[in-house]
Amino acid sequence: MNAFTLLPFIVLIAAMFLMTRSAKKKQQQAANMRNEMQPGSGVRTIGGMYATVKEVNEDTVLLDAGPGVDLLFAKNSIGAVLTDDEYNRIVHGIEHDLKSDADIVPDDASSLTETDESADAAAAASDDKAVDLGKKDATEDKADEAAEAAEAAEAKADEEPKKTDGDTDAK
């Protein structure tokens, strides 16, 4: 046989070997993860349910899904063992942030430039009246719009000729 005719078969066999090897690695990692489960750790099942491990047996796991709800699952049905921070974030909505002790930045920048005492003192010392910037209230705007709409309707009515009963344009 020619070496070129055997080459595709050799490549195919090598590819199949590599694929099965990587699949076996993933299965081994999943088995190790399931074997290292301990009571108290948070898990996600392959169905998407989050629970806390209560008891680990040879082939089964007893999960605490809620107050008074204990479920028995096969070990193979555990999809992932979660860290405590990740489990608390997903199930309880608790964010463990390393920056939680840092200062909180306010939403507006005014408190960054002045303190409350200096702002109150500046407001008390100022004798200036409020400056009118030409802004109108919402009620004034609506009244103006209604008046303009009425004027436009009257102008349109004046432009159209009024017809009487006896007058027609038909010929």
Side-chain angles (χ1 to χ4, degrees):
M1 282 197 164
N2 192 349
F4 290 112
T5 57
L6 290 177
L7 185 63
F9 293 113
I10 293 171
V11 170
L12 183 62
I13 291 171
M16 290 175 65
F17 174 75
L18 291 176
M19 285 191 293
T20 57
R21 185 173 175 219
S22 65
K24 283 182 182 178
K25 269 188 173 179
K26 287 181 184 178
Q27 287 176 351
Q28 186 65 34
Q29 287 176 348
N32 287 341
M33 179 237 352
R34 290 183 187 113
N35 289 333
E36 292 175 2
M37 269 189 301
Q38 298 175 2
S41 60
V43 295
R44 182 182 66 236
T45 64
I46 58 173
M49 184 182 73
Y50 292 92
T52 305
V53 176
K54 198 170 190 181
E55 183 180 315
V56 179
N57 296 322
E58 186 69 28
D59 294 330
T60 61
V61 178
L62 185 65
L63 299 178
D64 182 19
V69 180
D70 293 337
L71 304 169
L72 187 64
F73 276 83
K75 262 189 178 179
N76 291 340
S77 66
I78 303 301
V81 177
L82 307 172
T83 63
D84 290 338
D85 290 340
E86 185 178 11
Y87 181 77
N88 288 332
R89 180 183 58 81
I90 293 170
V91 176
H92 303 295
I94 299 171
E95 287 283 337
H96 178 63
D97 190 10
L98 298 175
K99 298 178 184 178
S100 63
D101 297 334
D103 293 335
I104 298 173
V105 179
D107 291 337
D108 61 340
S110 63
S111 63
L112 295 176
T113 57
E114 295 182 12
T115 62
D116 292 338
E117 297 170 358
S118 65
D120 292 340
S126 139
D127 292 333
D128 296 335
K129 294 182 180 179
V131 177
D132 182 22
L133 298 176
K135 294 183 178 179
K136 297 180 183 178
D137 291 338
T139 55
E140 291 177 8
D141 288 341
K142 290 179 182 177
D144 290 344
E145 289 175 9
E148 289 175 7
E151 289 175 9
E154 288 177 13
K156 185 176 181 184
D158 291 342
E159 291 175 5
E160 295 178 4
K162 294 182 182 179
K163 296 183 181 180
T164 58
D165 290 338
D167 294 337
T168 61
D169 291 336
K171 292 186 178 179

